[in-house]
Amino acid sequence: MIVVLAGGVGAARFLSGLVQVVDPSHITAVVNTGDDTELHGLSISPDIDTVTYTLANAIDPERGWGLRNETWRAMESLARFEGVRPIDSQAAPRWFNLGDTDLATHFYRTARLREGATLQEVTDEIRHAFGVGISVLPMTNDSVRTMVHLEKETVPFQEYFVRLQHSVPVTGVDFVGASTATFIDESVLKNADSIVIAPSNPIVSIGPIRALPGVEALLRSRRNDTVAISPIVAGAALKGPADRMLVELGHEPTVVGVARMYADICSTLIIDTQDEHLVSAVEREGVKCIATDTIMSRDGVAAVLAQITVRSTPRKGGLQWHD
Ligand code: FO1
């Protein structure tokens, strides 16, 4: 079993390459839920849906989130209430775009959670409904919410990322609920043949998973079987605010900075060829370093990157994959 610690878009793209080189039944994605939010009374799990929709080839290719061929009639129809909504009302927010067919997923998840299903159960039902072959696990069934500290206020992650367009400096992040949450399943990390840290935001996508009780120690114990892929290429994030967040939170926004953040829990870091000149600097952090093409927006790159990734971890347990 290959276990992939995953956030949103970059992780989803990597997984879409991995399923081309490894039998999907041998892949488990442990997905960040710190981005989850409740809007319109609906329980929304963006990173889980991005992974599920991408592997179902149903993702909108331009946005990297939500469903392709989407319509927005429900969201447009909310506009009429903005004129009558009391000033302090949270009703009918339109800054977070929920497409009409995407809403169906949130209706189903919300209703099942209200019936007492766990997030793990309903996530498994949804990935089956979308015909996804890998196991998709939320990092926990408990409520963990990434709160982003800005200069003058603290906001939930999606308000930082979407409403404020992550255009404001961050002074800190907290994963509220993490210290009392239960990691979804320790045996997944204990028994994995290899563990991959996907090219996700090290702070707000991988950070929440690491913050769950017992996970950091487990990952340290599996360091030799763990490989990470840098989400930073040539000092920048390919998507989202990872590079700025690294700087704002005191890290170096380079593959060396990423190596420092992951050195305790992974033995190999895969970086892009644009950073090839930093291979020795990464290895000085005590992490083996492989430079290859990691820009998965180009066709075929995700599968090759996945192949290099699985080859770079010891093939424990004789896991079969097609070379
Ligand atoms: N990202 C945006 O930039 N704008 C949006 O309006 C937006 C809506 C949205 C709805 C459902 C969903 O699953 C994801 C959505 N995202 C949107 C992306 C989301 O904020 C990010 O994918 C993750 O939270 C960060 O990885």
Side-chain angles (χ1 to χ4, degrees), residues 281-305:
V282 166
E283 298 201 326
R284 277 199 292 278
E285 298 301 323
V287 179
K288 285 196 297 293
C289 188
I290 298 169
T292 187
D293 186 353
T294 66
I295 313 296
M296 295 180 283
S297 50
R298 279 199 292 271
D299 280 351
V301 171
V304 172
L305 174 58

Side-chain angles (χ1 to χ4, degrees), residues 7-9 35 44-47 49-50 53 64-66 95-98 102 106 157-158 161-162 165 205:
V9 178
D35 293 6
I44 299 164
S45 296
D47 282 354
D49 291 350
T50 295
Y53 291 172
W65 52 266
W95 55 270
F96 194 77
N97 297 292
L98 292 166
D102 185 32
H106 310 308
F157 178 80
Q158 294 301 343
F161 190 83
V162 179
Q165 298 294 309
S205 294

Side-chain angles (χ1 to χ4, degrees), residues 137-206:
L137 296 181
M139 68 182 192
T140 178
N141 283 319
D142 301 317
S143 168
V144 175
R145 291 289 178 271
T146 300
M147 298 302 287
V148 181
H149 302 297
L150 309 175
E151 264 145 19
K152 292 189 177 56
E153 57 177 337
T154 294
V155 296
F157 178 80
Q158 294 301 343
E159 298 219 21
Y160 160 73
F161 190 83
V162 179
R163 188 168 62 77
L164 300 172
Q165 298 294 309
H166 49 75
S167 60
V168 287
V170 171
T171 61
V173 292
D174 275 320
F175 309 127
V176 175
S179 61
T180 53
T182 302
F183 179 64
I184 196 67
D185 181 350
E186 294 200 345
S187 68
V188 162
L189 294 181
K190 281 183 184 146
N191 303 333
D193 290 286
S194 52
I195 298 170
V196 179
I197 301 175
S200 301
N201 186 314
I203 297 171
V204 290
S205 294
I206 305 302

